[in-house]
Amino acid sequence: MNITTDKAKELIKETNGRIFSSTFVKKDNSIRTLTARLGKKYKSKTGRKAPYKAQNYDLLPVYDMQKKAFRMLNFNTLLTLTINKTNYKII
């Protein structure tokens, strides 16, 4: 099923912490598959806030289930999304 990036944002937010998978292009032009979830809260080790708002740059902070760390999901480079065994292609 083909969807837009706006619809992808909606679908990810509707997961309510359930695990989803996405494929995107990294900055070094390699393709990466990310298995992630929302719902975990990031706690800064230094106590400082981020110097920018992720939403302003089409980014979404997610928790990477394989690396056990927080990552930023860039909607501008998103290729595919899988939620509840349903595959979506971003157009």
Side-chain angles (χ1 to χ4, degrees), residues 7-18 38 83-84 88:
K7 183 65 176 171
K9 288 178 192 178
E10 286 179 34
L11 289 171
I12 290 173
K13 289 186 178 165
E14 290 172 1
T15 62
N16 294 326
R18 290 190 311 258
L38 297 177
I83 300 173
N84 290 336
Y88 302 98

Side-chain angles (χ1 to χ4, degrees), residues 42 79 85:
Y42 176 74
L79 300 173
K85 298 181 183 175

Side-chain angles (χ1 to χ4, degrees), residues 72-85:
M72 289 288 184
L73 183 60
N74 186 347
F75 286 102
N76 295 326
T77 62
L78 193 60
L79 300 173
T80 64
L81 183 65
T82 304
I83 300 173
N84 290 336
K85 298 181 183 175

Side-chain angles (χ1 to χ4, degrees), residues 9-88:
K9 288 178 192 178
E10 286 179 34
L11 289 171
I12 290 173
K13 289 186 178 165
E14 290 172 1
T15 62
N16 294 326
R18 290 190 311 258
I19 297 171
F20 64 92
S21 177
S22 62
T23 306
F24 60 94
V25 179
K26 292 176 26 175
K27 282 188 176 183
D28 65 357
N29 287 330
S30 62
I31 294 177
R32 177 164 193 253
T33 300
L34 174 72
T35 304
R37 65 176 283 218
L38 297 177
K40 284 197 69 122
K41 295 292 180 190
Y42 176 74
K43 189 170 184 181
S44 173
K45 292 180 178 139
T46 61
R48 296 187 312 191
K49 290 186 178 182
Y52 61 92
K53 292 199 180 274
Q55 303 94 316
N56 295 345
Y57 298 95
D58 267 347
L59 300 173
L60 179 69
V62 296
Y63 185 75
D64 186 342
M65 300 300 291
Q66 294 169 330
K67 305 244 181 192
K68 306 260 189 268
F70 286 90
R71 300 282 184 254
M72 289 288 184
L73 183 60
N74 186 347
F75 286 102
N76 295 326
T77 62
L78 193 60
L79 300 173
T80 64
L81 183 65
T82 304
I83 300 173
N84 290 336
K85 298 181 183 175
T86 305
N87 295 321
Y88 302 98

